[in-house]
Amino acid sequence: MKLLVRGGRLVDPAAGRDGRFDVLIEGGVVASVAAEIAPPAGCEVVDATGLVVTPGLIDMHVHLREPGHEYKETIRTGTAAAAAGGFTSVACMANTAPVNDERAVTEFIVTEAARHGFARVHPVGAISKGMAGEQLTEMGEMAAAGAVAFSDDGRPVVDTELMRRALLYAQHFGRPILQHAQDLFLSGNGVMHEGEWSTRLGLPGIPGLAEEVMVARDLLLLAETGGRYHVMHLSTARCLELVREGKRRGLGVTCEVTPHHLLLTDQAVADTTFSTNVKMNPPLRSEADRQALLAGLADGTVDALASDHAPHHADEKDVEFSAAPFGIVGLETMVSLGLDRLVRPGVIGLGRFVELLTAGPARILGLETGTLAPGRPGDLTLLALDREVTVDPATFRSKGRNTPFAGWKLRGAPVGTILGGVPVRLP
Amino acid sequence: MNAESWHRKDLLGIADLSPEEIRLILDTAESFREVAERPIKKVPTLRGKTVINLFFESSTRTRSSFEIAEKRLSADNMNFSTSGSALEKGESLVDTALNLEAMSPDLVVIRHRAPGVPHLLAARLRSGVINAGDGAHEHPTQALLDAFTIRRHKGRLDGLTVTIVGDIEHSRVVRSNIHLLTKMGSRVRVAGPRTMLPPALEALGVEVHTELEPAIAGADVVMMLRIQLERMNRKLFPSSREYFQRFALTRERLGAAREDAIVMHPGPMNRGVEIASDVADGPQSVILEQVAAGVAVRMAVLYLLSGVREEEG
């Protein structure tokens, strides 16, 4: 099976390409990338004229909810949402039921994802058994089954000794530790950012310090242990500064930020009159934090954009703010939000945006995808920069409708993905 | 502004009221105040209207104040509190509210420990919703009755210095009072232990103090807040003894305020913790007048929100 993607503008930052290139895929892998490729006999041709072609986009932080919470999302609906949102790869977190803390669960996820074929799924294994923060998991077994990283996401690793051991042990398998950085004592029963708006609304706050204290601690550990440490959904200015400083000192530290932390602030809780669709963890932060994150995107401190796609059932979110679960969906809005609110106003260039969704996460997770070179997987995403869309949760492929971006009019959208040389067709 | 130009369906907080609306409620309350002095303390104003008091958090004084106000207006009222209710059987808040709505009440008075609950219900219900306290967010009728009491004593709100002392972070009374008093031209000072002051209070237009004496100096009104003793478990203060030493209103400390200063407390008081008994019972205390004002103010709010537009009967 051969596929030629012809006539588009290829943006592949890792390969240093931005221009008119054709991509030929054979047997699922890239055969060649060149200014003009004549279609070989029996080759399917995708006309990408007027479109931007990128290496298949990667969302390194999603919750697919299966096994255990299929009423929120399944691997099938979650990967369909990924494909609809322009992603060919996702990394899914371990907080399922049962927790992905052993090989059998990792294998189930990989097998189930392969059965549907909408996107590649890279499981993230738990750091501790049952995510209970006590005993290390069999990381070697899970890595052999396809786990690309380890994280107790949703439950920060509070036990300092466990974090130290995890940073050491994961090095045997070349895998990073992904931390949901939050000091649970400082965050307490908080439900939004601690600042002027929590004061006004009388809601218990989660101070930025809760995240910063944890990252500072972890970086001290990292300097001793070596290995690789990644801050998930980084949300504060000081946290970014800690990561920047860590990189300067040569530590193996990386970080990701989410579109919602880049585009919204804690004021949204007041502006939406306590909408539970602006409740997530870490919470939307201050405008100063938001500005710092935007600067971190531009100056290279931030390594990846990730959605923290967290579907919940409508009934779970239709409750009082304090009682609602944290999290919003993001797979089907991230690309348009980025193109319209980051690239179009010039916060970052298109190349940098693509890097944050391809080479950036691929490097962190050790994936072969993320750039198009002969022998690499034939995963591509097609983008239409001028397509106007209005975010409409009713059209989501995800089971989750919990988004604060409903009704946003955005210019720029994904129009298709190609997975291992096969155009993905959603039912 | 007069009752005819009142158009709100709900009273959710002071933050979104205009000074004119606040003045209208206070003026309306004046006209209801004398009902309490009649031998027969009842007017037919809300005859045939149904009010549901939905209290998800225990409350004696606010609930009884609303109940009396409703009865004096001749409304039919019904109390619904958490214990033994559907919520304890796992029904969602929205479902509970929709079930009540199916009984076609005209007004729903709600108290809940979560900020935003009255707003959530107001958006779903055709009935008017009155916030009787949502967590640490707002308690609008408390601020209105406080303002009513201050105005009766001082003749105005504009230009007064009002000091509020206590657990500022967890108090809905403070937030509603700050909004109301700053809108009406008072200077507001807040004071409390550093562990009980939330961030960015200055953004609300108040002066922030961490010592009691300078906060009280020259004040026209000193309002003490109830200290919830269970907060000791949350590392906010070590003991009621030490709290009393630093932050309680004693006769001696009250001397720093203006001679004609009044002392207020939203109740229930912890005597000997935030306020000394001789101050609570002293000549400057208007604490029981606040309770009386509560009934008049709540009658005014119920009347305005009910949509009834006849002059008091």
Side-chain angles (χ1 to χ4, degrees):
Chain A
M1 162 108 197
K2 295 175 188 173
L3 182 83
L4 178 65
V5 179
R6 198 164 65 165
R9 169 185 168 194
L10 177 65
V11 179
D12 181 354
R17 287 199 175 96
D18 183 351
R20 166 74 174 76
F21 288 95
D22 294 351
V23 183
L24 179 66
I25 304 165
E26 280 185 41
V29 299
V30 176
S32 61
V33 179
E36 205 146 339
I37 300 174
C43 174
E44 191 183 338
V45 176
V46 171
D47 182 8
T49 307
L51 300 177
V52 166
V53 178
T54 72
L57 302 181
I58 303 162
D59 187 344
M60 67 172 295
H61 190 151
V62 307
H63 296 269
L64 297 181
R65 304 299 191 201
E66 191 180 355
H69 302 125
E70 292 84 359
Y71 71 97
K72 293 179 194 256
E73 191 81 290
T74 61
I75 291 170
R76 180 180 172 82
T77 58
T79 51
F87 295 92
T88 56
S89 294
V90 297
C92 64
M93 294 301 145
N95 59 343
T96 48
V99 168
N100 181 18
D101 61 358
E102 60 174 1
R103 182 170 189 145
V105 181
T106 311
E107 281 174 349
F108 163 78
I109 295 168
V110 170
T111 309
E112 183 63 17
R115 209 158 68 79
H116 304 301
F118 299 143
R120 295 179 204 276
V121 174
H122 301 287
V124 173
I127 290 172
S128 67
K129 286 183 184 160
M131 289 176 44
E134 287 161 13
Q135 280 175 281
L136 283 181
T137 53
E138 291 177 330
M139 292 184 186
E141 287 285 307
M142 286 190 284
V148 293
F150 297 98
S151 178
D152 278 358
D153 181 49
R155 294 213 197 140
V157 180
V158 176
D159 181 331
T160 313
E161 172 65 351
L162 178 67
M163 181 50 100
R164 187 166 72 118
R165 297 298 177 187
L167 286 167
L168 289 167
Y169 193 65
Q171 292 178 50
H172 287 290
F173 318 104
R175 300 294 194 271
I177 293 292
L178 320 180
Q179 171 76 305
H180 174 133
Q182 179 187 348
D183 181 312
L184 293 174
F185 297 103
L186 285 171
S187 57
N189 62 348
V191 294
M192 71 174 291
H193 175 61
E194 182 181 288
E196 177 186 339
W197 292 98
S198 66
T199 292
R200 286 182 182 277
L201 298 174
L203 286 167
I206 300 175
L209 269 177
E211 184 172 320
E212 293 147 7
V213 161
M214 208 56 152
V215 170
R217 178 202 76 170
D218 290 345
L219 291 178
L220 288 172
L221 295 176
L222 187 66
E224 289 278 320
T225 59
R228 289 192 294 132
Y229 170 80
H230 174 79
V231 184
M232 297 197 286
H233 40 53
L234 184 146
S235 70
T236 81
R238 271 188 295 189
C239 218
L240 192 74
E241 192 46 45
L242 286 167
V243 169
R244 194 176 277 133
E245 175 60 22
K247 288 184 168 188
R248 201 176 293 140
R249 287 164 45 212
L251 299 180
V253 59
T254 52
C255 69
E256 74 193 26
V257 297
T258 70
H260 47 276
H261 289 112
L262 290 164
L263 300 176
L264 299 170
T265 67
D266 56 345
Q267 190 180 336
V269 183
D271 290 348
T272 63
T273 322
F274 300 94
S275 165
T276 57
N277 285 335
V278 295
K279 180 176 176 182
M280 61 287 281
N281 190 10
L284 297 174
R285 299 290 188 186
S286 70
E287 178 62 14
D289 288 316
R290 189 181 83 85
Q291 291 297 338
L293 298 189
L294 290 172
L297 273 196
D299 73 15
T301 308
V302 175
D303 298 278
L305 274 169
S307 70
D308 193 7
H309 178 78
H312 290 294
H313 194 277
D315 292 342
E316 295 172 299
K317 279 288 200 180
D318 192 16
V319 296
E320 54 271 35
F321 192 86
S322 325
F326 291 104
I328 60 169
V329 291
L331 275 168
E332 291 167 85
T333 49
M334 180 150 69
V335 169
S336 289
L337 287 169
L339 289 173
D340 188 68
R341 301 300 165 105
L342 300 174
V343 176
R344 221 153 61 86
V347 175
I348 50 174
L350 180 62
R352 174 71 177 137
F353 176 65
V354 172
E355 180 184 28
L356 288 160
L357 291 172
T358 56
R363 245 188 323 263
I364 297 163
L365 299 177
L367 307 181
E368 282 185 85
T369 52
T371 185
L372 298 174
R376 298 287 189 122
D379 293 2
L380 276 73
T381 297
L382 305 176
L383 306 174
L385 298 188
D386 287 328
R387 177 166 300 190
E388 310 238 355
V389 293
T390 302
V391 178
D392 178 6
T395 65
F396 285 173
R397 298 275 175 172
S398 168
K399 287 189 180 185
R401 300 284 185 267
N402 45 308
T403 175
F405 299 113
W408 284 37
K409 292 189 193 328
L410 304 169
R411 188 193 289 184
V415 291
T417 60
I418 292 163
L419 190 65
V422 180
V424 173
R425 291 190 176 88
L426 293 170
Chain B
M1 185 170 186
N2 55 28
E4 279 67 38
S5 50
W6 180 274
H7 62 276
R8 285 180 190 273
K9 164 182 158 295
D10 313 296
L11 177 66
L12 301 177
I14 301 291
D16 35 47
L17 293 185
S18 67
E20 291 70 34
E21 288 173 304
I22 292 166
R23 214 167 283 124
L24 173 64
I25 297 171
L26 298 179
D27 292 347
T28 309
E30 287 290 349
S31 64
F32 281 117
R33 196 181 63 90
E34 57 84 30
V35 175
E37 287 156 15
R38 298 183 189 179
I40 295 178
K41 302 178 179 54
K42 208 171 177 85
V43 291
T45 317
L46 294 194
R47 199 164 47 195
K49 297 278 179 184
T50 309
V51 183
I52 293 180
N53 298 315
L54 193 51
F55 278 67
F56 292 105
E57 195 181 60
S58 66
S59 153
T60 309
R61 77 196 47 219
T62 302
R63 204 185 70 184
S64 35
S65 178
F66 267 108
E67 270 187 66
I68 289 173
E70 290 151 10
K71 290 191 159 125
R72 287 190 179 162
L73 289 168
S74 305
D76 296 314
N77 60 3
M78 177 222 152
N79 293 316
F80 181 104
S81 54
T82 342
S83 65
S85 76
L87 275 182
E88 288 195 342
K89 296 173 192 151
E91 187 180 63
S92 84
L93 178 70
V94 170
D95 280 335
T96 301
L98 292 175
N99 274 277
L100 291 169
E101 172 93 335
M103 302 176 211
S104 311
D106 297 285
L107 290 168
V108 175
V109 177
I110 179 159
R111 155 76 58 97
H112 197 286
R113 65 187 166 82
V117 164
H119 308 69
L120 175 67
L121 296 191
R124 300 301 181 85
L125 303 183
R126 288 187 307 277
S127 343
V129 174
I130 300 175
N131 181 359
D134 60 329
H137 181 218
E138 284 238 38
H139 191 356
T141 56
Q142 177 71 43
L144 287 162
L145 75 87
D146 290 338
F148 183 86
T149 308
I150 296 170
R151 208 174 67 159
R152 286 197 67 79
H153 278 269
K154 302 291 171 194
R156 64 196 164 102
L157 295 168
D158 187 40
L160 298 177
T161 299
V162 180
T163 301
I164 310 175
V165 184
D167 183 355
I168 307 301
E169 179 160 8
H170 299 94
S171 174
R172 51 184 164 231
V173 175
V174 158
R175 286 172 178 78
S176 288
N177 263 300
I178 289 174
H179 292 312
L180 190 150
L181 293 166
T182 53
K183 279 175 201 278
M184 303 310 281
S186 305
R187 281 184 301 275
V188 180
R189 299 175 182 161
V190 298
R194 290 173 189 271
T195 47
M196 295 180 179
L197 297 172
L201 267 174
E202 292 83 357
L204 277 67
V206 301
E207 238 178 74
V208 182
H209 291 264
T210 55
E211 300 293 335
L212 194 55
E213 286 78 0
I216 289 180
D220 297 286
V221 177
V222 182
M223 189 184 294
M224 303 306 292
L225 300 174
R226 172 182 171 76
I227 285 299
Q228 290 184 303
L229 299 174
E230 59 271 22
R231 303 244 182 256
M232 278 187 279
N233 302 330
R234 302 215 10 236
K235 310 171 182 81
L236 297 183
F237 72 109
S239 68
S240 44
R241 176 170 166 269
E242 190 151 302
Y243 187 86
F244 183 87
Q245 285 167 2
R246 298 192 65 85
F247 287 97
L249 188 62
T250 59
R251 180 151 297 288
E252 186 190 7
R253 285 178 176 148
L254 183 56
R258 283 175 58 100
E259 211 174 323
D260 61 351
I262 57 172
V263 173
M264 306 178 76
H265 194 298
M269 282 184 285
N270 293 304
R271 289 169 182 267
V273 181
E274 70 264 3
I275 189 163
S277 270
D278 58 352
V279 174
D281 303 329
Q284 288 167 272
S285 168
V286 298
I287 294 170
L288 294 176
E289 282 177 54
Q290 288 175 267
V291 180
V295 176
V297 159
R298 287 175 179 122
M299 286 172 83
V301 167
L302 288 160
Y303 162 70
L304 288 169
L305 293 181
S306 71
V308 174
R309 284 297 173 266
E310 61 203 28
E311 279 307 298
E312 54 160 343

